[in-house]
Amino acid sequence: MKILTAVLMLMCFTASAQTGPKDDLFQKIKSLDSIMFAVVYKCNAQKVESFFTEDLEFYHDKGGLTKSRAAFMQMQKNNFCGERPFYLRREPVPGTMKVFLMDKYGAVQTGEHVFYVKGEDGKEKLDGKAKYTHLWKYEQDQWKIARVISYDHGPAN
C-alpha cells in the first residue's frame, strides 16, 4: 500500500509539474510581447533588433513579405524615424492570446490586436484590428521571434 501511495503521489507531482511550464511559458511570452510592442514602433533600432532573429520572415497581408531582420529594421526606420514619423500603438485584444510549446524549438503565439494612430491634430484614435502569429525561437537562453504572420487587417469594430 505504501508503494502504491508513493507511486500515485509521484504521478500527481509529475503531472502538476508538467502543466507548470506551460503557464510559465505563457507568462514569459506575454511579458516579451508587451516589452517588444512598447518599443517596436519607436525609433530605437538596437532594442527592436534584439527581439528578432537575423533570418526573420515577416508576412503581412497588406505589405507582403519582409525577408530578414535587416530589411525589417530598414522598414521600421523608414516608417517610424525621420522628419515625419508615423505614430502607431498596438494593444492586444484581451483573452485572445494563446501560446503553444514547440518542443526543441520554442513557442507559437497567436492572438488579435488593435492599433491606434495619432492624427495631425495630435489625438490618438482607434484605427484597425488584425490577427497575428509569432514563432518564437529559444536559443542560447534567449527568446527571439523568427517568423511573423500578420493578417486579417481591417477596421476596428
Side-chain angles (χ1 to χ4, degrees):
M1 187 65 160
K2 287 183 181 182
I3 293 175
L4 179 59
T5 302
V7 169
L8 288 174
M9 286 177 59
L10 181 60
M11 287 173 56
C12 289
F13 177 77
T14 302
S16 66
Q18 290 174 356
T19 60
K22 290 181 185 176
D23 293 338
D24 290 345
L25 177 63
F26 183 92
Q27 292 303 317
K28 179 65 176 178
I29 297 298
K30 182 179 178 182
S31 174
L32 288 168
D33 176 87
S34 177
I35 295 165
M36 178 195 53
F37 276 103
V39 299
V40 77
Y41 299 124
K42 309 237 183 332
C43 195
N44 185 346
Q46 186 176 7
K47 185 68 174 169
V48 173
E49 257 185 351
S50 71
F51 284 97
F52 300 98
T53 62
E54 285 186 39
D55 67 341
L56 171 70
E57 291 181 4
F58 188 105
Y59 299 87
H60 193 285
D61 64 347
K62 305 292 184 194
L65 171 62
T66 302
K67 199 169 181 176
S68 80
R69 181 174 66 193
F72 177 76
M73 294 308 299
Q74 187 60 49
M75 183 178 66
Q76 292 295 106
K77 181 179 177 185
N78 293 345
N79 289 321
F80 301 106
C81 302
E83 286 183 37
R84 298 193 66 201
F86 183 67
Y87 172 85
L88 186 66
R89 184 173 65 83
R90 174 260 198 183
E91 288 288 331
V93 175
T96 64
M97 190 179 100
K98 295 180 181 175
V99 176
F100 304 90
L101 178 64
M102 296 295 288
D103 197 27
K104 299 177 185 165
Y105 186 84
V108 172
Q109 173 194 16
T110 64
E112 296 179 25
H113 45 204
V114 293
F115 296 93
Y116 295 84
V117 296
K118 194 178 286 187
E120 297 277 330
D121 61 1
K123 293 182 181 176
E124 186 180 83
K125 69 173 187 157
L126 182 59
D127 185 64
K129 185 176 183 178
K131 296 177 181 165
Y132 65 92
T133 300
H134 295 163
L135 178 61
W136 290 84
K137 185 176 188 178
Y138 185 71
E139 183 172 71
Q140 299 174 358
D141 294 328
Q142 292 185 345
W143 286 96
K144 293 187 178 194
I145 297 176
R147 303 293 179 265
V148 173
I149 303 173
S150 186
Y151 59 99
D152 199 24
H153 286 82
N157 299 349

